[in-house]
Amino acid sequence: MIHLGLCFSPFHYFESHFMKQYFSLILAPLALFGCATLIPLEDGLTPFKGQPVNQLFSVIGFPDDIELVDNKIIHTFHIERNHIGLVTETEHANGLEGQDPLIAKDMMQPSQVNVECALTVITDKKKIIEQWHYKEAYEGCTPYRQKLANFESR
């Protein structure tokens, strides 16, 4: 709510103050604990280097595509989906919020995002993992991280 300095609403102060405390005391720790158990994808894949690729398949599933390029076997895994996520947006404004000057306000807005993960695992002709690389948007590789974390915890 944007105030233009015409009046001060005690209810707005309480609502704003309460919501900030609610988010910081309840939701922030939940978000941190939810992310804390997942390992970085790089760390989860490292134990598989030098191992037969079938060992990795048994953990994260089969690739979407396999091709032979320059005596290397390229295994491509791909995740793509649309998701409604909270995205930080800056709203520009002039005026007062309570008695404080308001220039811009960061807000979390629900927005449709394209969640993506492209994981490429490269093996030799004997199907031994040599290297990998990945690109992701909006933590799209999380399903692979979860599977690797479950494997690590056995």
Side-chain angles (χ1 to χ4, degrees):
M1 179 177 281
I2 300 172
H3 293 278
L4 299 176
L6 300 175
C7 65
F8 175 74
S9 168
F11 177 75
H12 178 262
Y13 173 77
F14 173 76
E15 178 184 48
S16 174
H17 185 71
F18 175 77
M19 290 305 288
K20 287 177 188 174
Q21 285 187 354
Y22 177 78
F23 279 108
S24 64
L25 293 176
I26 304 299
L27 296 179
L30 288 176
L32 290 174
F33 286 121
C35 297
T37 58
L38 292 182
I39 58 175
L41 190 57
E42 194 74 23
D43 292 348
L45 292 171
T46 298
F48 293 96
K49 187 169 185 173
Q51 301 298 317
V53 75
N54 286 340
Q55 290 183 5
L56 180 62
F57 293 166
S58 70
V59 176
I60 67 171
F62 292 99
D64 299 302
D65 189 38
I66 300 174
E67 58 184 319
L68 182 63
V69 178
D70 296 330
N71 291 324
K72 302 290 180 187
I73 303 173
I74 312 297
H75 304 82
T76 305
F77 300 81
H78 194 250
I79 296 173
E80 184 174 1
R81 63 184 166 81
N82 289 323
H83 175 72
I84 302 295
L86 291 176
V87 177
T88 302
E89 293 182 358
T90 302
E91 180 180 294
H92 298 282
N94 291 317
L96 296 175
E97 181 173 19
Q99 297 178 355
D100 299 323
L102 177 65
I103 297 168
K105 188 174 190 175
D106 288 336
M107 301 181 68
M108 297 295 285
Q109 297 291 331
S111 181
Q112 184 169 334
V113 294
N114 190 28
V115 177
E116 268 188 274
C117 176
L119 169 62
T120 303
V121 178
I122 302 170
T123 68
D124 60 16
K125 282 191 168 182
K126 294 179 183 177
K127 300 181 184 175
I128 302 298
I129 297 175
E130 294 181 342
Q131 60 182 323
W132 58 84
H133 54 86
Y134 64 95
K135 291 191 305 185
E136 72 178 321
Y138 293 102
E139 299 181 2
C141 294
T142 296
Y144 298 135
R145 282 188 186 87
Q146 290 169 332
K147 290 175 182 179
L148 289 165
N150 290 339
F151 176 76
E152 292 264 328
S153 65
R154 291 187 209 170

